[in-house]
Amino acid sequence: MAHLFRDPYGVPHLRAATVTDLAHAQGRVTVADRAWQLEWLRLRATSGTAAVLGGELAEAWDDFARRVEVEETARRAFAACAPETRAFTASYADGVNAALARFDPAEVPELVHLGHRPGEWEPWTPMATHLAQQVLFGGIGQALWLRLAHEVLGEDARLLTHEGLQVAGSNAWMAGGERTASGFPLIGGDPHRTIEQPGIYQQVRLVCEDPDDTFDVLGYTFVGMPGVQHFAHAGEVAWAITNACADYQDLVEDGLPLAGGLTVRTASWVLGELGFDALLPLLRARTVDDVDAAFEHWVEPVNNLVVADRGGALRYRIAGRVPVRDADGTWTGWLGSPNRADAGPDEVVVTANERRGPESDAIGSSFSPPYRARRIRELLGERRGLDRADFEAIHDDALLPTVAVLTRLVPGAFDDFDGVMAADSAPAARFAAWRSALVRRLADEPALAPLATPGPAHDHGPLFRASLDPVAQLALALPTLAEEALAGRPPFGIDLLALARAALDDLADVPDTWGTTHRATPAHALASYGFEAGIPFLPVSGDQDAVRTMGSWPAISDAATRGAVARYVWDLADREAGGWVVPTGACGVPGEHYADQLDAWVEGRLLPIVTAWDQLTEDSSFAKNASA
């Protein structure tokens, strides 16, 4: 038997007598809140999108998912798990099926739009949906771009492989008890991905009342997966992750077939594992050591983990399987001793996908630029008495550090701009317009023209078209190219200083404010199929490389299509002293909780975490339906 309660924002709080009952209930409530999303994930995981949707992109995805063996790897991973993990995952899938058997698809607009009814879940389907959501998170697109860049530019391609080529990102930071107002550690953070409706993360609380196996964990779960994985607060311990930018996917000669004769090798495919044996130990964790031990099971994606407990312990570590390579690039084993470091009660730990030092050489080759990590450390400084409001302000910091680099190309042109990409800022709009104009002029340079017409050997279909877009990649590389030019080393022999000055002449039609064109734009899978999600596109502060990451694509679009898909503060003194928010709402079905978190998210506010049962509302029909 399981019971469902909801907070004022519709977030589900589940209580059950056993872990399998809890997983079953989690599957059921996910159908209630995210039925379309579950079906979309199942279709993607089983190469079934083209049969339902049709179209070039759907066909390209299905072909890719078959080539990299998403379904087969999930089946192998399920079989490799411990019996208890298999039972936990299967019970979640059973809960999904039980709810689908009695739900009305006419209540879900996407299913009505398609005239489609969801299919059945297998015990391994949660693993397949997880892999399908993560398989492009490991850098296949980047590897294809680097291959093209080296072919066209030779050694000069290094200027496009600077720290920052990857757009994968997240922030996570924590402060020890001697730095906080409560005397207990604080953790803050936000994962950055494509902003979607419904969102990729689901707020949830899972409570097991088995006297021999009690736990009470709240946090964010991947829709389609049981448990609470990467961002969670279990009362005695809390944790968060960022992408480690590790190299665990290689273009090789003897791997899974991609296109154009290329193949790829991934950690999950080689091992036949995904890391689901971490899920139950995470729910049962009470200390930093418990969480650390649970993530020993994790495979991919490879993450930076920050974790703290009420005893005052703080730890950073790499979580996931990183291959070890010989001089020829052949995989010879796995990194046996991941980067790991403890911090004291008077210290802070920051991770924002940056290179952390020489030890990072064993992890990867290209990391995110250091701007966000430096800015968070600057904002934390030597401050004491930190609380939720201080961390909330860090989340909302829209200073763009690259402004200081880029404006040196045109001295005096932006003296009125403080570098803050505020939605209501006119100087920010003018800066962004000039930046786009500079990228366009740079992309038109003859030395770079071959990047735009790479030929059939580099045609990997629509799935990787964005990764091979030279305009997007040059925009990401612009700060590094500017530093080269300012140091007297014209990149690719191009006079970037002259281009920057000329780009000032292209500013005839600048938007009134940055928010005029920089609007939060949640994507919907059916947007190109005539479906209207009904989410307003609101002006939003921030930009790529700001702590408040709201990524735009200079010279392509100012729309904020990528950024914080969740924000949170975990307070080890009291869970309710923290806060959290998602871009739209807890529910993917139009109604009260479809978009009721949108305003707070746009404004940079966190919403209350409610854990007191007398402040939650029980859905009495949930328990009745379980026994029906």
Side-chain angles (χ1 to χ4, degrees), residues 97-108:
N97 289 330
L100 288 177
R102 61 171 60 95
F103 103 118
D104 182 0
E107 297 178 356
V108 181

Side-chain angles (χ1 to χ4, degrees), residues 192-206:
H192 305 157
R193 302 177 72 118
T194 298
I195 304 167
E196 299 173 295
Q197 174 62 8
I200 189 172
Y201 288 114
Q202 180 184 33
Q203 297 153 300
V204 70
R205 181 185 181 191
L206 302 177

Side-chain angles (χ1 to χ4, degrees), residues 147-166:
R147 179 173 171 269
L148 169 61
H150 279 284
E151 180 176 305
V152 172
L153 301 170
E155 287 301 314
D156 282 348
R158 62 181 175 78
L159 300 178
L160 301 179
T161 60
H162 65 291
E163 305 291 71
L165 180 62
Q166 292 189 351

Side-chain angles (χ1 to χ4, degrees), residues 66-322:
R66 282 189 291 266
R67 288 174 181 270
V68 299
E69 299 183 2
V70 168
E71 184 175 329
E72 291 83 350
T73 302
R75 289 175 182 267
R76 291 167 57 207
F78 181 80
C81 281
E84 187 181 34
T85 304
R86 292 200 300 271
F88 184 63
T89 305
S91 187
Y92 179 92
D94 287 344
V96 170
N97 289 330
L100 288 177
R102 61 171 60 95
F103 103 118
D104 182 0
E107 297 178 356
V108 181
E110 290 92 341
L111 297 175
V112 172
H113 183 78
L114 294 173
H116 177 73
R117 186 174 183 89
E120 185 174 357
W121 280 49
E122 300 290 342
W124 46 263
T125 303
M127 296 185 176
T129 65
H130 170 71
L131 182 56
Q133 291 181 87
Q134 310 299 336
V135 68
L136 290 179
F137 217 54
I140 296 175
Q142 179 197 15
L144 295 174
W145 164 253
L146 296 181
R147 179 173 171 269
L148 169 61
H150 279 284
E151 180 176 305
V152 172
L153 301 170
E155 287 301 314
D156 282 348
R158 62 181 175 78
L159 300 178
L160 301 179
T161 60
H162 65 291
E163 305 291 71
L165 180 62
Q166 292 189 351
V167 295
S170 297
N171 304 313
W173 67 95
M174 60 183 174
E178 292 184 12
R179 301 288 295 274
T180 69
S182 69
F184 290 90
L186 277 174
I187 295 177
D190 54 358
H192 305 157
R193 302 177 72 118
T194 298
I195 304 167
E196 299 173 295
Q197 174 62 8
I200 189 172
Y201 288 114
Q202 180 184 33
Q203 297 153 300
V204 70
R205 181 185 181 191
L206 302 177
V207 180
C208 182
E209 299 179 316
D210 183 340
D212 297 320
D213 192 14
T214 59
F215 55 78
D216 182 342
V217 183
L218 65 81
Y220 295 94
T221 184
F222 282 110
V223 175
M225 283 182 68
V228 184
Q229 304 86 34
H230 291 159
F231 317 97
H233 195 323
E236 297 296 315
V237 65
W239 63 92
I241 64 97
T242 67
N243 189 299
C245 296
D247 294 335
Y248 59 90
Q249 295 180 338
D250 284 0
L251 296 182
V252 295
E253 296 181 357
D254 58 342
L256 296 161
L258 284 175
L262 295 176
T263 65
V264 64
R265 181 188 295 127
T266 71
S268 59
W269 178 70
V270 170
L271 291 168
E273 297 178 16
L274 289 169
F276 270 48
D277 278 336
L279 300 185
L280 282 169
L282 284 173
L283 292 174
R284 293 164 175 155
R286 299 290 189 274
T287 68
V288 162
D289 287 340
D290 292 341
V291 174
D292 191 332
F295 273 106
E296 284 292 315
H297 298 287
W298 194 251
V299 176
E300 65 177 65
V302 179
N303 297 316
N304 298 299
L305 169 70
V306 294
V307 54
D309 62 30
R310 282 181 59 85
L314 285 78
R315 183 170 299 161
Y316 161 86
R317 68 158 290 178
I318 290 287
R321 302 300 294 273
V322 180

